Amino acid sequence: MIIDTHAHFDDKAFNEDRETLLAGLPEAGVELAVNIGANMSTSAATVALTEKYPHIYGAVGVHPSDTAELTDEKLQQLSAWCKKDKIIAVGEIGLDYYWDTPEREIQKKWFRAQLNLAFDENLPVVIHSRDAAADTMNILKEEARGDYRGIMHCFSYSPEIAAEVVKMGFYLGIGGVVTFANAKKLVEVVAQIPLERIVLETDCPYLAPVPYRGKRNSSLYLPLVVDKIAEIKGISKEEVERVTTANAREVYNI
Ligand code: NI
C-alpha cells in the first residue's frame, strides 16, 4: 500500500468524479492521501474532505503566491484548523520566485509566520520553494527550532541542496516529474538521497507521470513513480512502497 503525501482533490478538475475516485483509492493500493491547502478557501475545502473520507488527511496553509490574502486574523483561523484531528501538517508554504508575486517581502513574512505556526502547533511543514533556493534556506535556518519535521514538496533544486535539507530533517517529495525526459537533475537527486528520506506525492491534478504527462493526475498514477524510483535505485518496487509508506507515516505522524 502506498501513501500520496501531496494532493489537491479539492480542485475543480475532480468535480465530476471526486466521490468515485476517492472511494476507490484503497482498492487501488493507495491507503491514504494527504490533501494540501494552498489558500484559505482550499484549506477550508481540505478540512471538509478530511471530515468526509476516512482515508483523507489534510494540511492547511497558504501557498506563497496567495500570501497577499493573509492577515493575523486568518493566521488565527489556520491555527484553529490545525487543532483538528485529521489536520496533520501546515502547508503548502514557502517562496515562489518563478511567479514572483506578491512582492518577495510579503512572501517571506508569511513564510516565517506559517513556519512558526507549525512549530507552535507541533506539526510538520510542507514546503513549496521554486526558483528561491537561497532565500528559502536562509529563512529555514533563521527560524529553525532544532531539527525540522517536514517535506520539501516537488523538489527541484540540486543534489547539494538536497543533501543540505535532508540534514536539516526534511524528506523529499518525489512525484511525476521524475519520469519526465528532462528530469536529469532530479534523477541524480533520487539516486543520491537515501530511500529513507523520500516520500511519494502527486501534486494532482498537476504533474502526471509519463505516459500521462499533461493529463489530469491522481494518486492512481503513483505506481509509475514507484517504478521509476525502483529503477533509479536498482531495488524492488515492493521496497520502494514499503519504505516510502513508512516515511510518510513517520513525517506526518499517522
Ligand atoms: Ni501542491
Side-chain angles (χ1 to χ4, degrees):
M1 296 289 266
I2 54 186
I3 294 181
D4 186 348
T5 62
H6 192 119
H8 301 282
F9 284 118
D10 53 279
D11 193 280
K12 62 180 185 316
F14 298 106
N15 281 357
E16 299 289 304
D17 60 348
R18 183 176 296 108
E19 189 88 12
T20 329
L21 183 66
L22 292 185
L25 290 184
E27 207 174 300
V30 181
E31 61 176 300
L32 296 175
V34 181
N35 206 76
I36 308 284
N39 54 40
M40 294 307 287
S41 112
T42 57
S43 291
T46 295
V47 170
L49 283 175
T50 66
E51 286 167 354
K52 185 162 184 195
Y53 298 96
H55 54 291
I56 303 291
Y57 286 73
V60 294
V62 175
H63 181 289
S65 302
D66 274 337
T67 44
E69 74 166 336
L70 269 173
T71 58
D72 289 338
E73 224 166 55
K74 286 177 178 160
L75 203 63
Q76 283 307 312
Q77 174 65 71
L78 289 172
S79 161
W81 283 330
C82 283
K83 293 172 174 64
K84 291 182 170 282
D85 276 356
K86 291 179 76 194
I87 297 302
I88 48 152
V90 171
E92 50 188 296
I93 63 172
L95 300 173
D96 193 319
Y97 295 172
Y98 176 81
W99 295 109
D100 218 7
T101 173
E103 60 181 89
R104 294 180 179 184
E105 286 316 308
I106 295 177
Q107 295 191 36
K108 289 185 200 172
K109 171 185 171 183
W110 292 110
F111 180 29
R112 290 182 194 274
Q114 292 182 96
L115 280 174
N116 282 288
L117 169 68
F119 295 136
D120 291 344
E121 300 294 336
N122 197 22
L123 290 177
V125 285
V126 179
I127 308 283
H128 169 106
S129 177
R130 190 168 182 198
D131 291 356
D135 281 358
T136 302
M137 296 305 287
N138 286 338
I139 288 178
L140 287 174
K141 283 173 195 158
E142 285 167 18
E143 301 296 336
R145 299 187 198 169
D147 275 355
Y148 275 95
R149 185 157 65 96
I151 297 171
M152 295 291 284
H153 143 71
C154 200
F155 188 81
S156 60
Y157 298 135
S158 66
E160 291 72 27
I161 294 179
E164 211 178 326
V165 297
V166 161
K167 225 163 117 190
M168 295 167 88
F170 284 101
Y171 292 77
L172 302 188
I174 303 296
V177 175
V178 76
T179 69
F180 295 176
N182 56 358
K184 205 168 153 269
K185 195 170 67 178
L186 185 58
V187 167
E188 266 177 59
V189 166
V190 169
Q192 176 204 284
I193 294 301
L195 187 61
E196 286 66 29
R197 284 290 160 181
I198 290 174
V199 293
L200 304 176
E201 66 173 29
T202 54
D203 206 20
C204 66
Y206 311 106
L207 301 175
V210 172
Y212 303 107
R213 187 172 181 178
K215 303 240 163 55
R216 185 188 77 172
N217 195 8
S218 88
S219 316
L220 299 176
Y221 294 157
L222 273 180
L224 293 160
V225 176
V226 170
D227 286 352
K228 187 67 189 184
I229 296 173
E231 178 197 315
I232 295 167
K233 290 198 159 294
I235 56 179
S236 70
K237 292 190 250 192
E238 291 71 23
E239 188 177 356
V240 174
E241 290 193 5
R242 182 176 56 77
V243 177
T244 56
T245 295
N247 296 345
R249 287 192 173 281
E250 170 85 21
V251 65
Y252 282 140
N253 196 21
I254 41 178

